[in-house]
Amino acid sequence: MSEHVYKQVELTGSSPQSSDEAVRIALAKAAKTLHNIHWFEVVETRGHVEDGKILHWQVTIKAGLRIDD
Amino acid sequence: MSEHVYKQVELTGSSPQSSDEAVRIALAKAAKTLHNIHWFEVVETRGHVEDGKILHWQVTIKAGLRIDD
Amino acid sequence: MSEHVYKQVELTGSSPQSSDEAVRIALAKAAKTLHNIHWFEVVETRGHVEDGKILHWQVTIKAGLRIDD
Amino acid sequence: MSEHVYKQVELTGSSPQSSDEAVRIALAKAAKTLHNIHWFEVVETRGHVEDGKILHWQVTIKAGLRIDD
Amino acid sequence: MSEHVYKQVELTGSSPQSSDEAVRIALAKAAKTLHNIHWFEVVETRGHVEDGKILHWQVTIKAGLRIDD
Amino acid sequence: MSEHVYKQVELTGSSPQSSDEAVRIALAKAAKTLHNIHWFEVVETRGHVEDGKILHWQVTIKAGLRIDD
Amino acid sequence: MSEHVYKQVELTGSSPQSSDEAVRIALAKAAKTLHNIHWFEVVETRGHVEDGKILHWQVTIKAGLRIDD
Amino acid sequence: MSEHVYKQVELTGSSPQSSDEAVRIALAKAAKTLHNIHWFEVVETRGHVEDGKILHWQVTIKAGLRIDD
Amino acid sequence: MSEHVYKQVELTGSSPQSSDEAVRIALAKAAKTLHNIHWFEVVETRGHVEDGKILHWQVTIKAGLRIDD
Amino acid sequence: MSEHVYKQVELTGSSPQSSDEAVRIALAKAAKTLHNIHWFEVVETRGHVEDGKILHWQVTIKAGLRIDD
Amino acid sequence: MSEHVYKQVELTGSSPQSSDEAVRIALAKAAKTLHNIHWFEVVETRGHVEDGKILHWQVTIKAGLRIDD
Amino acid sequence: MSEHVYKQVELTGSSPQSSDEAVRIALAKAAKTLHNIHWFEVVETRGHVEDGKILHWQVTIKAGLRIDD
């Protein structure tokens, strides 16, 4: 991490399966347009509920990407 | 979410399996007496440990329920 | 928990599989040298990413251990 | 405030007009079922947006109500 | 704490004597209507003052109560 | 909110009139270049003062926008 | 803001009308004794309630004033 | 609290006896120069220790005082 | 405090009597194995409850100890 | 700051020399692609260590840039 | 620190040179009117930027001063 | 960072020279007894003052060290 400048981007992904899967989906989709994502940090975990069941998890992450020269 | 007033309730569920499962158990049990839960937010994730193994996860959520007219 | 004094230790475990697994790995390894861990609390969930995929989850916990007489 | 025990309840109201109005709506509706609300504190101010315009403000408050004998 | 779902309630008690006494009063009064309170956590300690003397302490706690089946 | 990935952007708008108006101005201007803003959350409310009068309110929001495919 | 030292003062104003008005009142009154207030930041928004109506808003701000030579 | 503007002041008192006593000492001393203190809020509780015994408690409070006309 | 390096340790003590006593117990017990504790800071105050009465207070502190040469 | 809308961007710079230098490097590099950066705020200061020596400081800032018309 | 009551004051200093220098300038200027400042704590580090260069650092501190008898 | 478990330790170093130097001193001294420190994070920056001059900076860091097998 030493010689580079990084930019952090806040993203929210969602998944009907699990909180971890919501993070994976956010990163996979972001990787299509944002190159060089190196790490993430979970900021918030939420979800939508119907009849006592979780419809989907929504997890917000901060993703760190290297700014290329 | 526009025309309603919501009330938030803080709940703690527990599960020997996983942190996500502890959330599902809290919501399933709460749904028996609290109707109209629409969303939740994870507030705290803890657990009990014995001999280096997790006995059960304890996850505290804030659940938002619509106040009916 | 009543008659004892507890010490909290902050640990970070990592796992390529899941955030929960990173907690289990931290506790299992810590149990080799730190006896009497009774509970934990998740402090931070992060991870490393390559090509939009999570290489490993890194979860930091506070673990509470009883100080023996 | 001296001789009583108070309970705090978290509520979210919404209004297309203003953030203050969302608080007033939450309190007015809550007053139908919760007696003795004496004060509130704003916890969070959010809103929904369409085409760069605010559809409605959503303000979450903590309301303090006296527990009667 | 393992097999149950808990609900957290925020309460404020007051006492002219001490901050600890304000917590005891909040719990004693709450116990009349809320069964199964198992633990509490202090959220805020305040007080009213007149002529440089404390008229009463006001302590806000989060109390955790087991939801019965 | 279920099937999409969202990005959060932090914006500061200002208005001589009111705190709510500062939010509206930030959203209206941002909407010219950032499409699909769906919600916002107020992060900070500040202002500039001269002779005891508010020259303008400055409100910082986090705006959530859907990443299109 | 470059060549000066600033002091921050925490103030609470109140108004039956609106949260913004409570800030204006705090600043107007403070300006009578504290010169050179240049900016403020909202710290807390509360209010008193009776019969489901807001009696007055109470807004706490941090006000920054330049220390003159 | 309705018609007045309040100023908050942060004070630290200390006492060899108890945490509550440290608050009382801070308020009693402050009352000699600062009139109209109406409430306080505990911000931080610390202490000095020697040979495993507390030499004195140090409690920091925010005290709210009415600005007279 | 000038010429030394300090280490902070997080400890939880408990007492059926009072919150202050729980701090004293934690420090007294810690002093048997950790030398040179010079100060502490209260991090969290909790307790266990039965039938509306506090069984014991649990107070978590950060204790600062000087690292000897 | 009055008539403009600002966007905040989170950046991390690093330097083997000092924490201040890490901020300067982040701003210098960001200025190549992001115009109109007017202010920054330090969010986090970290660093990498080897054999008790700091290899480089890593400082994360929030940078505020004016959105041009 | 034992026998005295302390008051905390929040100050912002600025310097074109470094963040540490901004603290020194705030303390030096405050010492002209506020006697008995014994310690400080950094609350916030910000700065103004032009063309990717820092014009001046602005550091806000809380300074603790002893109230004399 | 992938295959290891890390432990975080909180340390306070001090220096009459600068805030950065206080961090370097804490790390250098800690390295004598704690091996494998890989990173740190600044938690708090304070200092002692006399006659408006800084006697020494005191910086608290969290240092992360790898637990060896």
Side-chain angles (χ1 to χ4, degrees):
Chain A
M1 235 189 189
S2 56
E3 300 304 316
H4 302 288
V5 173
Y6 287 78
K7 185 183 169 187
Q8 274 84 252
V9 183
E10 211 172 296
L11 302 166
T12 304
S14 67
S15 157
Q17 267 178 273
S18 72
S19 58
D20 281 7
E21 194 61 22
V23 177
R24 285 188 202 103
I25 284 170
L27 288 166
K29 182 144 192 185
K32 290 179 189 168
T33 51
L34 300 167
H35 300 293
N36 295 318
I37 298 181
H38 280 240
W39 59 270
F40 70 92
E41 180 184 340
V42 173
V43 170
E44 194 183 56
T45 302
R46 304 169 71 108
H48 281 193
V49 181
E50 211 173 80
D51 298 328
K53 296 218 173 80
I54 298 172
L55 292 184
H56 51 263
W57 297 80
Q58 288 181 307
V59 185
T60 299
I61 58 171
K62 227 186 246 189
L65 46 121
R66 211 180 55 229
I67 302 181
D68 287 326
D69 288 286
Chain B
M1 236 188 187
S2 56
E3 298 305 314
H4 302 287
V5 172
Y6 287 78
K7 185 183 169 186
Q8 273 85 251
V9 183
E10 210 172 295
L11 302 166
T12 304
S14 68
S15 156
Q17 267 178 272
S18 72
S19 59
D20 281 10
E21 194 61 23
V23 177
R24 284 187 203 104
I25 284 170
L27 288 167
K29 182 145 193 184
K32 291 178 188 168
T33 52
L34 300 168
H35 301 292
N36 293 320
I37 298 181
H38 281 241
W39 60 269
F40 69 92
E41 180 184 340
V42 173
V43 170
E44 194 183 57
T45 301
R46 304 171 71 109
H48 282 193
V49 179
E50 211 174 80
D51 298 328
K53 296 219 173 80
I54 297 173
L55 291 185
H56 51 264
W57 297 79
Q58 289 180 305
V59 184
T60 299
I61 58 171
K62 228 186 245 191
L65 45 122
R66 210 179 56 227
I67 300 182
D68 287 327
D69 290 285
Chain C
M1 237 189 187
S2 55
E3 298 305 314
H4 302 288
V5 172
Y6 287 78
K7 186 183 168 186
Q8 274 84 251
V9 183
E10 210 172 294
L11 302 166
T12 305
S14 67
S15 157
Q17 267 178 271
S18 71
S19 58
D20 281 9
E21 194 60 22
V23 177
R24 284 187 202 103
I25 284 170
L27 287 167
K29 182 144 192 186
K32 289 179 189 168
T33 52
L34 300 168
H35 301 292
N36 295 318
I37 298 181
H38 281 240
W39 60 269
F40 69 91
E41 180 184 342
V42 173
V43 170
E44 195 183 56
T45 301
R46 304 172 70 108
H48 281 194
V49 180
E50 211 174 80
D51 298 329
K53 296 219 172 80
I54 297 173
L55 292 184
H56 52 264
W57 297 79
Q58 289 181 306
V59 185
T60 299
I61 58 171
K62 228 187 245 189
L65 45 122
R66 210 180 56 228
I67 301 181
D68 288 325
D69 289 286
Chain D
M1 239 190 185
S2 56
E3 299 304 313
H4 302 288
V5 172
Y6 287 77
K7 186 183 168 187
Q8 274 85 253
V9 183
E10 210 171 296
L11 301 166
T12 304
S14 67
S15 157
Q17 268 179 271
S18 72
S19 58
D20 280 9
E21 194 61 22
V23 177
R24 284 187 203 104
I25 284 170
L27 287 167
K29 182 145 193 185
K32 291 179 189 168
T33 52
L34 300 168
H35 300 293
N36 295 317
I37 297 181
H38 280 241
W39 59 270
F40 70 91
E41 179 184 342
V42 173
V43 171
E44 195 183 57
T45 301
R46 305 170 70 108
H48 281 193
V49 180
E50 212 174 79
D51 298 329
K53 296 219 172 81
I54 297 174
L55 292 185
H56 51 263
W57 297 78
Q58 288 180 306
V59 185
T60 299
I61 58 170
K62 228 186 245 191
L65 46 121
R66 208 178 58 228
I67 301 181
D68 288 326
D69 290 286
Chain E
M1 235 188 188
S2 55
E3 299 304 314
H4 302 288
V5 172
Y6 287 77
K7 184 183 169 187
Q8 273 85 252
V9 183
E10 211 171 295
L11 302 165
T12 304
S14 67
S15 157
Q17 267 178 271
S18 72
S19 58
D20 281 9
E21 194 60 23
V23 177
R24 285 188 203 103
I25 284 170
L27 288 167
K29 183 148 192 183
K32 290 179 189 167
T33 51
L34 299 168
H35 300 292
N36 294 319
I37 297 182
H38 281 241
W39 60 270
F40 70 91
E41 180 184 341
V42 174
V43 171
E44 195 183 56
T45 301
R46 305 171 71 108
H48 281 193
V49 180
E50 212 174 80
D51 298 329
K53 296 220 172 80
I54 298 173
L55 292 184
H56 51 264
W57 298 78
Q58 289 180 306
V59 185
T60 299
I61 58 170
K62 227 186 245 190
L65 46 121
R66 209 178 57 227
I67 301 181
D68 287 327
D69 289 285
Chain F
M1 240 189 185
S2 55
E3 301 304 315
H4 302 288
V5 172
Y6 286 78
K7 185 183 169 187
Q8 273 86 249
V9 183
E10 211 172 296
L11 302 166
T12 304
S14 67
S15 157
Q17 267 179 272
S18 72
S19 58
D20 281 9
E21 194 60 23
V23 177
R24 284 188 202 102
I25 284 170
L27 288 167
K29 182 146 191 184
K32 290 179 189 166
T33 52
L34 299 168
H35 300 292
N36 294 320
I37 297 183
H38 281 241
W39 59 270
F40 70 91
E41 180 185 340
V42 173
V43 171
E44 196 183 56
T45 301
R46 305 170 70 108
H48 281 193
V49 181
E50 211 174 79
D51 298 329
K53 295 218 173 81
I54 297 173
L55 292 185
H56 52 264
W57 297 79
Q58 288 180 306
V59 185
T60 299
I61 58 170
K62 228 185 244 190
L65 47 121
R66 211 179 55 227
I67 302 181
D68 288 326
D69 288 287
Chain G
M1 236 188 185
S2 55
E3 299 304 315
H4 302 288
V5 172
Y6 286 78
K7 185 182 169 187
Q8 274 86 251
V9 183
E10 210 171 296
L11 302 166
T12 304
S14 67
S15 157
Q17 266 178 272
S18 71
S19 58
D20 280 10
E21 194 60 23
V23 177
R24 285 188 202 102
I25 285 170
L27 288 166
K29 182 146 192 185
K32 292 178 188 167
T33 52
L34 300 168
H35 300 291
N36 294 320
I37 298 181
H38 281 241
W39 60 269
F40 69 93
E41 179 184 341
V42 173
V43 171
E44 195 182 57
T45 302
R46 303 171 71 107
H48 281 192
V49 180
E50 211 174 80
D51 298 330
K53 296 218 173 81
I54 297 173
L55 292 184
H56 51 263
W57 297 79
Q58 289 180 307
V59 185
T60 299
I61 58 170
K62 227 186 247 189
L65 46 121
R66 209 180 55 228
I67 302 180
D68 287 327
D69 289 286
Chain H
M1 238 188 187
S2 55
E3 298 305 314
H4 302 288
V5 171
Y6 287 77
K7 185 183 168 187
Q8 273 85 252
V9 183
E10 210 173 296
L11 302 165
T12 305
S14 67
S15 157
Q17 268 178 270
S18 72
S19 58
D20 281 10
E21 194 60 22
V23 177
R24 286 189 201 102
I25 285 169
L27 288 166
K29 182 146 191 185
K32 291 178 189 167
T33 52
L34 300 169
H35 301 291
N36 294 320
I37 298 182
H38 281 242
W39 60 269
F40 69 92
E41 179 184 341
V42 173
V43 171
E44 194 182 57
T45 302
R46 303 171 71 108
H48 282 193
V49 180
E50 210 174 80
D51 298 329
K53 296 218 173 81
I54 297 172
L55 292 184
H56 51 263
W57 297 78
Q58 289 180 306
V59 185
T60 299
I61 58 171
K62 229 187 244 188
L65 46 121
R66 210 179 55 228
I67 301 181
D68 287 326
D69 289 286
Chain I
M1 237 188 188
S2 56
E3 299 305 314
H4 302 288
V5 171
Y6 287 77
K7 185 183 169 186
Q8 274 85 251
V9 183
E10 209 171 297
L11 301 165
T12 305
S14 67
S15 157
Q17 267 178 271
S18 71
S19 58
D20 281 9
E21 194 61 23
V23 177
R24 285 188 202 102
I25 284 171
L27 288 166
K29 182 146 191 184
K32 290 178 189 168
T33 51
L34 300 168
H35 301 292
N36 294 318
I37 298 181
H38 281 241
W39 60 270
F40 69 91
E41 180 184 341
V42 173
V43 171
E44 195 183 56
T45 301
R46 305 171 72 108
H48 281 192
V49 180
E50 210 173 80
D51 297 330
K53 296 217 172 82
I54 297 174
L55 292 184
H56 50 264
W57 297 79
Q58 289 180 306
V59 185
T60 299
I61 58 171
K62 228 186 244 189
L65 46 121
R66 208 180 56 229
I67 302 182
D68 288 326
D69 288 286
Chain J
M1 236 190 187
S2 56
E3 300 304 316
H4 302 288
V5 173
Y6 286 78
K7 185 183 169 187
Q8 274 85 250
V9 182
E10 209 172 297
L11 301 166
T12 304
S14 66
S15 157
Q17 267 179 272
S18 72
S19 58
D20 281 10
E21 194 61 23
V23 177
R24 285 186 202 103
I25 284 170
L27 288 166
K29 182 145 191 184
K32 290 177 189 168
T33 52
L34 300 168
H35 300 293
N36 294 318
I37 297 181
H38 280 241
W39 60 270
F40 70 91
E41 179 184 341
V42 172
V43 171
E44 195 183 57
T45 302
R46 304 170 72 107
H48 281 192
V49 180
E50 211 175 80
D51 299 329
K53 296 218 173 81
I54 298 172
L55 292 184
H56 51 264
W57 298 79
Q58 289 181 306
V59 185
T60 299
I61 58 170
K62 228 187 245 189
L65 46 121
R66 211 179 55 228
I67 301 181
D68 288 327
D69 289 285
Chain K
M1 237 189 186
S2 55
E3 299 304 315
H4 303 287
V5 172
Y6 287 77
K7 185 182 169 188
Q8 274 85 250
V9 183
E10 210 172 296
L11 302 165
T12 304
S14 67
S15 157
Q17 265 178 273
S18 71
S19 58
D20 281 8
E21 194 60 22
V23 177
R24 286 188 201 100
I25 284 169
L27 288 166
K29 183 147 193 184
K32 290 178 188 167
T33 53
L34 301 168
H35 300 292
N36 294 319
I37 297 182
H38 280 241
W39 59 270
F40 70 91
E41 181 184 340
V42 173
V43 171
E44 195 182 57
T45 302
R46 304 171 70 109
H48 281 193
V49 180
E50 211 175 80
D51 297 329
K53 296 221 172 78
I54 297 172
L55 292 184
H56 51 264
W57 297 79
Q58 288 180 307
V59 185
T60 299
I61 58 170
K62 228 187 244 189
L65 45 122
R66 209 179 57 228
I67 301 181
D68 286 327
D69 288 286
Chain L
M1 238 191 185
S2 55
E3 300 304 314
H4 303 289
V5 172
Y6 286 78
K7 185 184 168 186
Q8 273 86 250
V9 183
E10 209 171 297
L11 302 165
T12 305
S14 67
S15 157
Q17 268 179 271
S18 71
S19 58
D20 281 9
E21 194 60 22
V23 177
R24 284 187 202 103
I25 283 170
L27 287 167
K29 182 145 192 184
K32 290 178 188 168
T33 52
L34 300 168
H35 300 292
N36 294 319
I37 298 181
H38 281 241
W39 60 269
F40 70 92
E41 180 184 341
V42 173
V43 171
E44 196 182 56
T45 300
R46 305 170 71 108
H48 282 194
V49 180
E50 212 175 80
D51 298 329
K53 295 219 173 78
I54 297 173
L55 292 184
H56 52 262
W57 297 80
Q58 289 181 305
V59 185
T60 299
I61 58 170
K62 228 186 245 189
L65 46 121
R66 209 179 56 227
I67 301 181
D68 287 328
D69 289 286

